[in-house]
Amino acid sequence: MPRKKKKKPLYRRLLPYLLVLACALLAVGAVYTVFLDFQVRERFEGARWTLPAKVYAQPIELYVGQSISRHRLTDSLERQGYRQLANTPRPGSFSRQGSSVNIHSRAFTFWDGAQAAERFRVSFNGDRISGMRSLDRETDIPLQRLEPMLIGSIYPTQGEDRILVKLGDVPPMLPAGLIIVEDRQFMEHHGVSPKGILRAAIANAKAGRVVQGGSTITQQLVKNFYLNNDQTLVRKGKEAIMAILLDAHYAKENILEAYLNEVYLGQDGGRAIHGFGLGSYFYFRKPLEELQPEELALLVGMVKGPSYYNPRRFPDRARKRRNLVLEMFRDAGFLNDAETTRAQNEPLGVSRGSSRSTTQYPAFIDLVKKQLKGHYRDSDLTEEGLRVFTTLDPFVQETLEEQVSSGVEQLERRGDVEKKSLQAAAVVTSIENGRVLGLVGGRDASYAGFNRALDAQRQIGSLMKPVVYLTALEDPSKYSLVTPVDDSPLQVRQPNGDIWEPENYDHRSHGTHVPLYQALVHSYNLATSRLALEVGLPRVVENLKALGYPGEPMAVPSLALGAVEMSPLEVAQIYNTLAGGGYQTPLLAIQAVTTREGEPLSRYSLKTRRAVNEQSVYLLNWAMRRVVREGTARSAYSRLPSQLNLAGKTGTSNDLRDSWFAGYSGDAVAVVWVGRDDNKPGKLAGASGALPLWSGIMAEIGPRSFDPPRPEGLEVRELLLGDDRFRGSRGPNSVGGRDCSRAVKVPFVEDYVPDGLIDCSEQEERGAYDESVTSPEERRDEDDSNWLRDLFR
Amino acid sequence: MNLLRLVSASLLLAMLAACATPSRYPPPQRMPPPSDSSGAPAPWPASGESRPDAEPGAGSVAPEPEPEGPPPPRTVAEASGPAVVALLGQADTKAREGQPEQAAAYVERAVAVEPRNPFIFQRLAALRLDQGEPEQAEAMARKSNSLAGDNPYVRAGNWKLIAEARQMRGDAAGAAEARSRSQVYLSQTRGR
């Protein structure tokens, strides 16, 4: 009889399966944990982050005799995050003392070596540095270089940016404060904190919503470092396991240091700001070591929600959060009551910058990237943390930005110019060493869009004319500054059968005997076209290229009037060569590149090339100065002091599409373009559009007078030019009835001085001179050549 | 709770630990030397490659005392402010140490301070000659001439450098011409 099989309870029957299953799960879990463990260690021990190259401005060089006002110096210091503190106790501080400024500079590793922090006094005599003295060594110092300003990074279009810091270098209040605010049990727990989770759960239950996260610093690091942002339970579990593993493998200090560098602190366009090192520069423009309790509290408080507490967009919210954090600092014993109150009353102190993008000087960084291309791979630039030392002068750059944006707005206030229609670009270079000091690619300089300074190719109009006159002046046997040129109407049959018929700006001819320099000074199209045809267009093209134009322009007659398209930067190169006396120095935006540790990789050294004859450039520059004194650009002197000599040329393209001015002082070239992106007429000539902007820029950057040294082989004659000879004809310097006090020194190439010039420096009587012809007013409307004849005996 | 002190103390340990562990970030590979076209950055030369610095001639000319009028400056020291003198002194030191590119960098800083000082460009010319770059040496010497005005001391030195540069390029006739020009200026300095 079969025994009735006693049925085992269900759980006993399933037990073996459960056991197997549990074992399997355990095995899978173990394998998974090992896998996670591998992940955790590999990432933590490998190269944790790719580091975008860091871009620095040109350092401020202070030296005895330098022309810089006290105000401009302290402005520059403040721009670099220096604080005004009595007795300059620490690097990054300064104080005013009577007419001098005491500075405590920061230590910095330049590409040519490390430079220690230095306390020194700068004394002023007016707007000039009269002396400098080291306060530590009690010795006079001839010059002192300040650390350069960090102006940006080269990062991929979307990417993280950071500056790594070491735990040992940051103010102790930062890590301690993070622990207080984010994870009080950090030093004790094992990666996860059940207590913390419980506390958060209670707080959340009480509030009825999530008000507190239970994540430890370790978990936050794991989340940012290894995981995506999903809020799932699986991910939470994974995060917890990895946090425990991380805690088991590494010291708290290492985890904390990684956290300091990993944490997300804000967004700058496509660039994500990570870590406190960069956060400090991003919000305060100074190194983390120099942050004060209230500044540290702001950053620590922002960890909770960098966009929500963004101090630039939501200053009130950020201030409340900061002050709460300061109270937590006080409760933890970091600050006493008085210190807390003081800190809470401080302003936020965040550097200016729009919330949209605070990358400084995007147009200039663009140029830097262009110049680096070909020498470095993209990945070298975005990943290796290279340090790029540029030529940017922050003072010049900011002046340029302000002047361009306010200048364009002013132009649009004119009735006939459509509002918001104009665009502009500008470049400033230093002449003798060919450095790009500032560059603006549009009227809104903070906008990193189309960079007109580099990429807009526009007709240069009369900016071309100096090249034509230079080419003529290269042949002294045929042309001097006063050689008569023909400004009568002109027709040229082109190879394709078309007739080219240029016209003057005022639609009239100025006669057949215009002195050569006058034709340039007043920008006569007819005379210039004829001159270009006389000297030969291929020679004009040759000179244009010699001056630094990289393109291959067509040798057509209209080239003489600027039928060639260039970017403002290309124009700057050409005019820099003219300003440099005919020596072409390739324009550079970079001085040197080093590794992250400061090991030099490459240096962009000063090079020069004798591009054209010095004598002809000198003669040309004599005329270019008169363009500004009395010609198409004379309105520049409404903004600039009259004792200052400047040289330049206006440019206007057909139908007023492009308004240009390119010109120079003794130390800087500035090129300004104003026009419309759609290439419709902007209704502005060079003198009415670009010139006011140029004058404003020059007036602000404080130029030296343009007085180039005279090359050998030239001699000077004192001549009475134009209508000046009619004034005060009985003066003591009267020669032949002329007032020689108004004589102008005109340079000529030796052995090629035109015969019969009446030279005022020769005081003897020149014989009868008919001064009864007509009054100056009547003459103005006449043929410009009339007075030219009077130059001669 | 004295967390601040605790963390501060642990910082020291962290620093030591950071020193002990080898760098996690391998140094970036040395970049391939950029092409030699003009405007391209010079590859950083290894130290010790250059010849010892040879002083340009202008400074060593010993002219007679000036009879009348303000004499043109004969040396860098006479022509330049203290900042430039200091920078050129540091450049000399670097050049003697066999680091001509570092030396050039100091001289270039001097250009930024006094952009129209012909002695500075003369120094650049001398450095380029030492580095075996006769084209740049001549260009810099001529640039110096273009800034020299009526100063025969600078011009004599520059033409001497140009002569050496041309000799280095194998242009014997050009070198002779430059040398005779140098002599002309040298005699002018003696006339003073």
Side-chain angles (χ1 to χ4, degrees):
Chain A
M1 192 174 124
R3 258 188 38 206
K4 194 180 173 188
K5 208 171 168 185
K6 195 176 170 196
K7 211 173 178 182
K8 286 184 195 165
L10 184 66
Y11 76 92
R12 294 233 14 209
R13 274 184 289 137
L14 286 179
L15 194 62
Y17 300 104
L18 282 174
L19 266 174
V20 169
L21 192 68
C23 285
L25 273 177
L26 216 70
V28 168
V31 168
Y32 187 62
T33 307
V34 169
F35 167 71
L36 286 183
D37 188 58
F38 174 75
Q39 269 198 340
V40 164
R41 283 192 300 171
E42 192 191 46
R43 181 76 201 275
F44 206 77
E45 279 161 31
R48 287 181 204 158
W49 298 287
T50 60
L51 293 173
K54 292 286 168 285
V55 184
Y56 294 91
Q58 188 175 152
I60 294 174
E61 193 102 63
L62 298 170
Y63 52 90
V64 178
Q66 187 181 10
S67 157
I68 182 174
S69 69
R70 211 165 63 107
H71 182 68
R72 180 168 151 189
L73 173 61
T74 52
D75 265 8
S76 303
L77 292 172
E78 278 168 352
R79 190 181 298 124
Q80 279 180 245
Y82 274 65
R83 282 170 81 96
Q84 192 170 346
L85 293 172
N87 301 321
T88 58
R90 56 170 178 266
S93 60
F94 72 97
S95 67
R96 292 188 176 90
Q97 272 201 335
S99 69
S100 56
V101 178
N102 290 354
I103 300 174
H104 195 159
S105 69
R106 299 173 178 128
F108 189 81
T109 304
F110 283 89
W111 55 268
D112 58 358
Q115 184 179 301
E118 179 84 35
R119 282 179 68 234
F120 61 102
R121 167 174 301 146
V122 184
S123 308
F124 289 85
N125 183 1
D127 283 351
R128 206 168 272 281
I129 294 179
S130 57
M132 294 206 296
R133 192 167 175 80
S134 163
L135 295 174
D136 297 322
R137 288 173 281 123
E138 287 295 328
T139 52
D140 286 334
I141 43 180
L143 82 165
Q144 180 69 40
R145 182 168 58 166
L146 298 181
E147 76 288 350
M149 184 167 133
L150 180 66
I151 55 169
S153 305
I154 296 175
Y155 51 92
T157 41
Q158 295 289 324
E160 298 182 357
D161 194 8
R162 53 171 54 76
I163 294 171
L164 295 186
V165 295
K166 294 212 171 76
L167 189 59
D169 297 340
V170 306
M173 200 181 284
L174 174 65
L178 275 171
I179 290 172
I180 287 298
V181 174
E182 290 294 320
D183 183 3
R184 282 170 185 269
Q185 266 73 49
F186 177 73
M187 297 308 282
E188 291 99 46
H189 65 59
H190 296 285
V192 293
S193 167
K195 250 200 255 175
I197 293 170
L198 200 68
R199 201 181 44 231
I202 293 168
N204 293 345
K206 267 189 191 163
R209 63 197 166 88
V210 180
V211 292
Q212 207 174 356
S215 287
T216 64
I217 280 178
T218 322
Q219 280 171 292
Q220 290 181 37
L221 178 63
V222 164
K223 190 178 89 183
N224 290 338
F225 216 53
Y226 303 98
L227 305 170
N228 59 26
N229 245 337
D230 300 342
Q231 281 290 353
T232 64
L233 220 59
V234 174
R235 198 206 59 120
K236 273 276 173 201
K238 201 168 152 187
E239 176 189 296
I241 296 172
M242 288 174 106
I244 293 167
L245 290 169
L246 197 66
D247 190 82
H249 281 300
Y250 303 103
K252 294 281 183 192
E253 290 79 12
N254 292 353
I255 293 169
L256 200 54
E257 185 175 283
Y259 183 82
L260 287 177
N261 287 314
E262 174 55 41
V263 72
Y264 172 68
L265 283 174
Q267 195 68 30
D268 173 27
R271 176 170 79 137
I273 307 300
H274 282 262
F276 286 92
L278 182 61
S280 176
Y281 278 103
F282 184 66
Y283 291 108
F284 302 111
R285 283 199 191 171
K286 59 183 168 183
L288 189 53
E289 300 91 275
E290 291 175 19
L291 294 196
Q292 299 305 301
E294 63 275 11
E295 293 161 336
L296 289 170
L298 180 73
L299 292 184
V300 168
M302 284 177 64
V303 170
K304 196 177 171 193
S307 340
Y308 188 80
Y309 295 112
N310 182 341
R312 291 195 177 101
R313 289 186 63 185
F314 308 112
D316 293 339
R317 211 184 267 171
R319 175 190 295 275
K320 256 178 89 180
R321 174 75 183 154
R322 180 197 72 174
N323 288 351
L324 179 73
V325 170
L326 281 168
E327 277 164 29
M328 294 167 90
F329 282 10
R330 179 197 60 202
D331 295 344
F334 303 168
L335 301 168
N336 62 30
D337 286 344
E339 287 164 343
T340 309
T341 313
R342 184 204 59 80
Q344 287 181 326
N345 286 329
E346 287 288 329
L348 283 178
V350 170
S351 64
R352 71 176 177 85
S354 73
S355 51
R356 177 164 52 88
S357 168
T358 49
T359 296
Q360 287 170 314
Y361 325 136
F364 181 83
I365 303 258
D366 219 23
L367 174 62
V368 170
K369 281 193 220 168
K370 263 196 182 161
Q371 293 201 344
L372 286 170
K373 227 171 201 151
H375 304 304
Y376 296 95
R377 293 187 304 262
D378 280 355
S379 59
D380 294 334
L381 297 173
T382 55
E383 293 173 7
E384 303 292 352
L386 299 183
R387 299 179 351 135
V388 182
F389 295 93
T390 73
T391 59
L392 183 103
D393 180 331
F395 170 74
V396 171
Q397 175 69 26
E398 299 213 343
T399 303
L400 209 50
E401 294 183 359
E402 282 162 26
Q403 291 295 320
V404 165
S405 92
S406 68
V408 169
E409 267 172 40
Q410 202 139 15
L411 293 175
E412 286 178 347
R413 260 178 242 143
R414 280 180 24 170
D416 56 338
V417 179
E418 201 184 315
K419 301 279 170 286
K420 301 280 168 213
S421 66
L422 294 179
Q423 266 299 348
V427 186
V428 175
T429 63
S430 69
I431 297 167
E432 305 298 355
N433 50 16
R435 291 179 177 172
V436 180
L437 302 178
L439 184 132
V440 167
R443 60 190 291 176
D444 178 2
S446 65
Y447 173 64
F450 182 45
N451 191 342
R452 292 161 195 85
L454 308 186
D455 301 326
Q457 290 283 323
R458 308 291 299 225
Q459 286 225 343
I460 63 167
S462 301
L463 294 190
M464 182 65 197
K465 283 180 184 154
V467 186
V468 174
Y469 288 85
L470 176 75
T471 311
L473 292 165
E474 278 182 336
D475 186 354
S477 68
K478 284 203 182 117
Y479 301 99
S480 76
L481 285 166
V482 297
T483 301
V485 294
D486 184 357
D487 192 53
S488 60
L490 169 73
Q491 286 191 336
V492 182
R493 183 175 292 278
Q494 311 227 56
N496 63 3
D498 289 355
I499 302 281
W500 182 64
E501 195 172 358
E503 269 196 83
N504 275 335
Y505 189 73
D506 57 4
H507 301 291
R508 62 190 193 88
S509 156
H510 305 89
T512 54
H513 279 73
V514 184
L516 180 133
Y517 84 89
Q518 281 272 24
L520 176 65
V521 164
H522 297 297
S523 204
Y524 295 153
N525 289 340
L526 297 172
T528 307
S529 304
R530 200 174 265 109
L531 196 62
L533 293 170
E534 267 176 39
V535 300
L537 289 166
R539 280 190 55 210
V540 175
V541 169
E542 207 176 288
N543 270 337
L544 182 65
K545 286 158 74 178
L547 292 168
Y549 178 61
E552 198 59 60
M554 297 238 286
V556 292
S558 56
L559 175 69
L561 304 181
V564 55
E565 293 176 347
M566 290 189 200
S567 70
L569 186 67
E570 285 169 338
V571 172
Q573 175 71 75
I574 291 163
Y575 275 69
N576 202 79
T577 308
L578 294 176
Y583 283 80
Q584 192 218 335
T585 300
L587 293 182
L588 291 178
I590 306 166
Q591 296 188 51
V593 181
T594 75
T595 63
R596 190 154 69 82
E597 290 80 15
E599 189 203 338
L601 291 174
S602 50
R603 202 175 81 79
Y604 291 63
S605 60
L606 173 59
K607 293 207 166 74
T608 200
R609 187 173 62 82
R610 187 171 175 270
V612 285
N613 174 313
E614 296 98 332
Q615 294 176 342
S616 19
V617 176
Y618 183 85
L619 298 180
L620 176 73
N621 278 331
W622 182 91
M624 299 271 278
R625 275 183 13 177
R626 298 193 78 83
V627 171
V628 190
R629 277 285 166 210
E630 63 190 51
T632 50
R634 61 189 176 277
S635 65
Y637 281 108
S638 65
R639 286 288 311 265
L640 289 151
S642 64
Q643 69 274 17
L644 197 68
N645 285 321
L646 298 157
K649 187 71 195 79
T650 49
T652 312
S653 69
N654 289 341
D655 308 322
L656 305 179
R657 288 175 206 279
D658 301 280
S659 165
W660 290 92
F661 194 79
Y664 31 95
S665 67
D667 47 5
V669 172
V671 176
V672 177
W673 168 85
V674 178
R676 291 174 59 133
D677 280 344
D678 58 12
N679 207 19
K680 284 183 184 155
K683 296 184 184 157
L684 293 163
S688 53
L691 180 59
L693 272 66
W694 184 89
S695 313
I697 292 163
M698 276 294 181
E700 289 298 317
I701 63 177
R704 303 185 195 191
S705 188
F706 179 65
D707 303 304
R710 196 168 76 218
E712 286 185 313
L714 293 178
E715 55 185 87
V716 167
R717 292 302 163 96
E718 291 184 33
L719 307 178
L720 282 168
L721 302 175
D723 297 325
D724 280 346
R725 70 195 189 286
F726 293 105
R727 297 188 191 118
S729 58
R730 306 270 178 269
N733 298 318
S734 171
V735 173
R738 305 164 179 221
D739 178 6
C740 273
S741 67
R742 293 182 175 277
V744 175
K745 289 179 177 165
V746 185
F748 293 91
V749 177
E750 259 170 27
D751 305 331
Y752 294 103
V753 184
D755 288 336
L757 280 178
I758 302 176
D759 189 338
C760 264
S761 60
E762 299 165 29
Q763 288 286 325
E764 71 229 59
E765 280 292 314
R766 287 290 181 197
Y769 171 71
D770 180 14
E771 58 178 283
S772 65
V773 192
T774 37
S775 75
E777 287 71 30
E778 282 170 276
R779 285 176 151 260
R780 228 182 277 284
D781 284 338
E782 275 183 34
D783 192 315
D784 285 354
S785 62
N786 284 357
W787 67 262
L788 185 73
R789 288 193 289 270
D790 302 335
L791 279 176
F792 300 92
R793 254 177 270 177
Chain B
M1 177 153 46
N2 206 338
L3 193 55
L4 191 59
R5 201 187 295 163
L6 180 75
V7 171
S8 302
S10 66
L11 292 181
L12 195 66
L13 284 171
M15 273 195 289
L16 288 172
C19 293
T21 46
S23 169
R24 289 194 184 83
Y25 318 99
Q29 291 185 337
R30 214 176 168 83
M31 308 308 163
S35 66
D36 200 20
S37 64
S38 96
W44 206 279
S47 54
E49 271 178 9
S50 79
R51 301 183 287 127
D53 186 29
E55 275 302 295
S60 57
V61 173
E64 285 166 37
E66 177 67 13
E68 56 182 308
R74 286 164 294 188
T75 60
V76 180
E78 282 179 25
S80 323
V84 166
V85 172
L87 286 167
L88 295 185
Q90 282 165 308
D92 284 350
T93 307
K94 287 291 175 194
R96 272 196 301 273
E97 287 169 2
Q99 294 184 304
E101 203 48 44
Q102 296 264 12
Y106 276 111
V107 183
E108 286 175 24
R109 276 173 73 188
V111 173
V113 173
E114 290 181 20
R116 289 255 169 87
N117 183 333
F119 286 98
I120 302 175
F121 284 94
Q122 187 171 72
R123 198 57 71 87
L124 272 177
L127 277 169
R128 294 305 175 213
L129 199 60
D130 282 350
Q131 287 179 285
E133 294 177 32
E135 282 81 10
Q136 269 307 300
E138 176 161 354
M140 288 296 173
R142 298 200 72 164
K143 174 79 197 179
S144 173
N145 272 343
S146 80
L147 300 170
D150 294 329
N151 190 328
Y153 303 98
V154 182
R155 289 182 185 274
N158 284 334
W159 282 109
K160 191 165 163 262
L161 286 166
I162 293 169
E164 287 178 47
R166 290 178 178 173
Q167 200 71 54
M168 191 181 282
R169 280 207 310 264
D171 174 9
E177 188 241 329
R179 218 169 287 123
S180 71
R181 284 201 187 218
S182 175
Q183 286 303 322
V184 171
Y185 289 112
L186 212 55
S187 65
Q188 285 180 22
T189 67
R190 293 205 185 91
R192 279 171 182 274

